[in-house]
Amino acid sequence: MSRIDTRCLCGAIHLRIHHQPLAQFYCHCDDCQAVHGASYVGIAVFPSDAVEVIRGAPISWTYKTLPRQRCSSCGTLLIARVPDSELTGVKANLLPPGMFTPAFHIHCQFAVLPVVDDLPHYSSLPGVFGGTDDVVAW
Ligand SMILES: [Zn+2]
Ligand SMILES: [Zn+2]
């Protein structure tokens, strides 16, 4: 099994991930825009029990419904434990170089601007995630 070791910018928090990503995508939702101060973010999803904090104590807070964890020193956003699921989202920039290979975009209805590439651009979520499979016309 692969192992990913990563850390926040200042090194106070170390994460260890014992799994390959289950899904990788760009999220354009307005929550991500607000929390990350970005137009959209890259996210890799892993089984929650495979994502372990092995050093430091991230602070947790919940914006609307999604609990997110960040480093209290440098502010790096680290992970979001999805409620009522066994899934944890990890910020793509924390992955080793070359590992983030997004397969689609989600919540494009909230996008600040179109991001034109060859990936599917779901208006909300793909059907396998409980969405409608509708795509936007970018
Ligand atoms: Zn830090
Ligand atoms: Zn989002």
Side-chain angles (χ1 to χ4, degrees):
M1 184 190 292
S2 65
R3 190 178 92 182
I4 303 164
D5 283 313
T6 187
R7 46 184 241 167
C8 67
L9 287 175
C10 77
I13 311 289
H14 289 213
L15 295 177
R16 179 164 290 167
I17 304 168
H18 307 269
H19 208 280
Q20 289 294 311
L22 300 173
Q24 302 187 72
F25 51 83
Y26 293 111
C27 185
H28 295 257
C29 83
D30 48 355
D31 287 5
C32 282
Q33 289 172 18
V35 168
H36 298 284
S39 300
Y40 60 101
V41 293
I43 297 169
V45 174
F46 297 90
S48 285
D49 60 6
V51 182
E52 187 185 2
V53 176
I54 58 169
R55 176 175 164 184
I59 53 172
S60 219
W61 98 108
T62 299
Y63 179 65
K64 296 184 184 170
T65 58
L66 187 59
R68 302 170 189 263
Q69 295 186 10
R70 70 161 70 227
C71 173
S72 62
S73 298
C74 68
T76 301
L77 283 150
L78 300 160
I79 60 176
R81 305 273 190 194
V82 182
D84 303 320
S85 84
E86 298 302 319
L87 301 175
T88 290
V90 176
K91 287 285 300 296
N93 57 296
L94 296 173
L95 301 178
M99 174 173 268
F100 182 59
T101 50
F104 50 88
H105 296 253
I106 65 171
H107 294 305
C108 295
Q109 61 185 312
F110 300 106
V112 174
L113 284 171
V115 176
V116 179
D117 57 25
D118 292 333
L119 303 176
H121 299 90
Y122 293 105
S123 176
S124 59
L125 293 168
V128 292
F129 286 10
T132 61
D133 270 338
D134 290 345
V135 293
V136 295
W138 290 355

